[in-house]
Amino acid sequence: MKDKIRALTHRLSQQPPRDVLRRLNRIMRGWSNYFRYAVAKSTMQTLAIFVWRRVARWWMRLHRWSWTDLRRHLTDHTGRWQIPSSDGIELFNLGRVPTERYRYRGNKIPNPWTLANHA
């Protein structure tokens, strides 16, 4: 997944930010829906930080912003960081995806230590 994100947010990419955010959201939603049952919460939070930083660096290069300009665009009046968005498309936050275990399969998973015909 990181390779796909790196390819989309390459430093010299001149693609419109709206298209890139839309493609990133598709990739991250598919990945999170697949792995949400693997209890990968810390991995998803790490990837969310990775994606945010890649998008921020790409925007800095694309718009020729300094860190101060980026902070001005991505913080609200209270100083809290906001989710990057472009033309109404917000970056999907992987860190907020709920994860759960396969609860319904608990007794159906085969156990190699139980014997079928134990006498």
Side-chain angles (χ1 to χ4, degrees):
M1 183 173 150
K2 281 186 172 183
D3 291 338
K4 289 181 182 181
I5 293 168
R6 285 183 183 118
L8 284 171
T9 59
H10 191 264
R11 283 181 50 204
L12 302 178
S13 174
Q14 295 295 321
Q15 296 179 21
R18 179 180 182 174
D19 296 340
V20 173
L21 287 179
R22 188 177 288 163
R23 180 71 179 133
L24 282 172
N25 287 345
R26 285 183 192 158
I27 292 168
M28 290 188 297
R29 283 182 192 194
W31 190 89
S32 66
N33 285 334
Y34 183 79
F35 287 105
R36 70 184 290 180
Y37 299 106
V39 189
K41 188 71 172 176
S42 63
T43 303
M44 287 188 191
Q45 289 173 344
T46 303
L47 283 171
I49 293 168
F50 174 78
V51 172
W52 191 93
R53 286 183 181 167
R54 288 293 297 194
V55 169
R57 282 190 214 131
W58 174 59
W59 279 6
M60 286 174 64
R61 170 75 177 173
L62 182 68
H63 299 297
R64 295 183 179 157
W65 289 342
S66 65
W67 179 253
T68 307
D69 297 328
L70 179 74
R71 191 175 62 226
R72 185 179 307 125
H73 283 86
L74 291 181
T75 55
D76 59 4
H77 65 281
T78 62
R80 293 185 180 164
W81 288 95
Q82 297 176 342
I83 297 173
S85 63
S86 177
D87 297 331
I89 306 291
E90 284 188 353
L91 184 66
F92 179 69
N93 189 356
L94 279 169
R96 294 192 180 190
V97 174
T99 58
E100 57 190 51
R101 291 197 181 268
Y102 290 112
R103 296 188 193 278
Y104 62 94
R105 287 183 53 202
N107 295 331
K108 297 178 184 177
I109 299 173
N111 187 352
W113 293 278
T114 59
L115 301 174
N117 296 325
H118 191 321

